[in-house]
């Protein structure tokens, strides 16, 4: 699995911002955006990783999707309870796609793993993906179960060849797990959102 480094993800936020804002200002602005006419995504993430969350939202917003983030939901209970879990289940079902921002902390989180399990039951395999992000130089040994999910990766120009000849265009793709013949299928991220 090719995993985006945390520094690459954080650089994306800097590239997409036309002026400097704090992460909290950026996330507040995101909450106020129009939600109409867009594909809806449940974005599972570790709550204390706001810089990573803001960077992932910046990337996804560029494609023009609506992103649900649970702690920005005004109807979410103030204290974590069974009602929190029920609200999350409802939102996973209501949203078109499920993405796990798969940082090392998120993979260790009981809530993120629970959300992934429920998302798996509701969205597998066409409407679920992990967005793997790692600290520079580390991997996800011990979390090999992530290999069963489609993943979002950046493909660089002239690096991945097609079976029909030539190379994939540069950009973000959703890549399926290898099938029995060892083949993965690549779908441009924008196209995946429209499926």
């Amino acid at each position: 699995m090719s995993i985006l480094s945390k520094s690459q993800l954080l650089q994306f936020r800097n590239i997409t911002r036309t002026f400097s804002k704090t992460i909290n200002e950026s996330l507040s602005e995101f909450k106020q955006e129009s939600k109409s006419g867009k594909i809806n995504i449940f974005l599972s993430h570790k709550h204390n990783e706001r810089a990573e969350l803001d960077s992932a939202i910046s990337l996804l917003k560029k494609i023009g999707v609506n992103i649900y983030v649970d702690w920005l939901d005004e109807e979410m209970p103030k204290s974590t309870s069974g009602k929190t879990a029920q609200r999350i289940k409802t939102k996973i079902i209501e949203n078109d796609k499920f993405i796990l921002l798969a940082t090392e902390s998120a993979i260790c989180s009981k809530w993120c793993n629970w959300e992934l399990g429920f998302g798996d039951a509701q969205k597998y395999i066409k409407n679920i993906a992990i967005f793997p992000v790692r600290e520079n130089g580390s991997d996800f040994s011990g979390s090999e179960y992530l290999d069963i999910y489609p993943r979002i990766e950046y493909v660089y120009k002239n690096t991945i060849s097609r079976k029909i000849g030539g190379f994939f265009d540069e950009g973000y793709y959703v890549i399926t797990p290898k099938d029995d013949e060892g083949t993965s299928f690549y779908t441009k991220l924008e196209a995946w959102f429209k499926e």
Side-chain angles (χ1 to χ4, degrees):
M1 175 189 320
S2 176
I3 301 171
L4 189 68
S5 75
K6 183 176 175 180
S7 63
Q8 288 171 310
L9 179 64
L10 296 179
Q11 285 175 355
F12 186 81
R13 178 185 187 272
N14 296 334
I15 292 168
T16 60
R17 295 291 177 208
T18 55
F19 52 91
S20 180
K21 290 183 183 177
T22 68
I23 291 170
N24 286 339
E25 288 171 333
S26 178
L27 291 171
S28 292
E29 182 180 274
F30 152 71
K31 184 179 176 184
Q32 303 305 319
E33 289 181 358
S34 171
K35 309 291 186 203
S36 61
K38 297 179 181 178
I39 296 298
N40 298 308
I41 300 164
F42 183 98
L43 184 57
S44 178
H45 64 284
K46 184 78 169 129
H47 283 204
N48 64 351
E49 295 182 319
R50 290 189 180 214
E52 292 85 344
L53 174 64
D54 188 52
S55 298
I57 288 172
S58 295
L59 182 151
L60 296 170
K61 281 178 21 182
K62 187 176 180 186
I63 298 170
V65 297
N66 176 35
I67 303 155
Y68 174 82
V69 175
D70 58 358
W71 55 270
L72 293 174
D73 182 348
E74 293 173 359
E75 294 181 36
M76 191 62 70
K78 300 296 180 212
S79 299
T80 305
S81 66
K83 289 181 181 181
T84 306
Q86 189 57 52
R87 179 84 178 147
I88 288 172
K89 286 173 66 173
T90 298
K91 296 315 260 180
I92 290 172
I93 292 167
E94 287 178 358
N95 282 275
D96 303 308
K97 304 280 187 180
F98 178 97
I99 295 175
L100 169 64
L101 184 57
T103 62
E104 293 168 69
S105 294
I107 290 169
C108 293
S109 163
K110 290 178 185 178
W111 275 100
C112 289
N113 276 295
W114 176 80
E115 290 170 355
L116 179 62
F118 190 77
D120 179 292
Q122 300 300 315
K123 307 294 182 189
Y124 193 76
I125 188 169
K126 293 192 179 285
N127 294 311
I128 191 169
I130 62 166
F131 190 1
V133 178
R134 63 168 173 83
E135 293 289 337
N136 296 336
S138 62
D139 64 19
F140 291 140
S141 296
S143 301
E144 289 80 7
Y145 62 91
L146 294 175
D147 289 343
I148 71 168
Y149 296 103
R151 65 197 182 279
I152 298 169
E153 290 185 14
Y154 193 82
V155 172
Y156 292 94
K157 187 175 184 176
N158 298 327
T159 58
I160 307 291
S161 59
R162 297 173 170 267
K163 277 190 170 185
I164 58 172
F167 293 92
F168 284 99
D169 294 334
E170 188 166 351
Y172 282 94
Y173 287 82
V174 175
I175 305 167
T176 64
K178 290 183 178 179
D179 63 17
D180 292 340
E181 295 158 11
T183 303
S184 291
F185 296 92
Y186 289 65
T187 304
K188 276 279 207 178
L189 185 58
E190 297 88 344
W192 183 72
F193 287 132
K194 294 175 183 175
E195 289 181 344

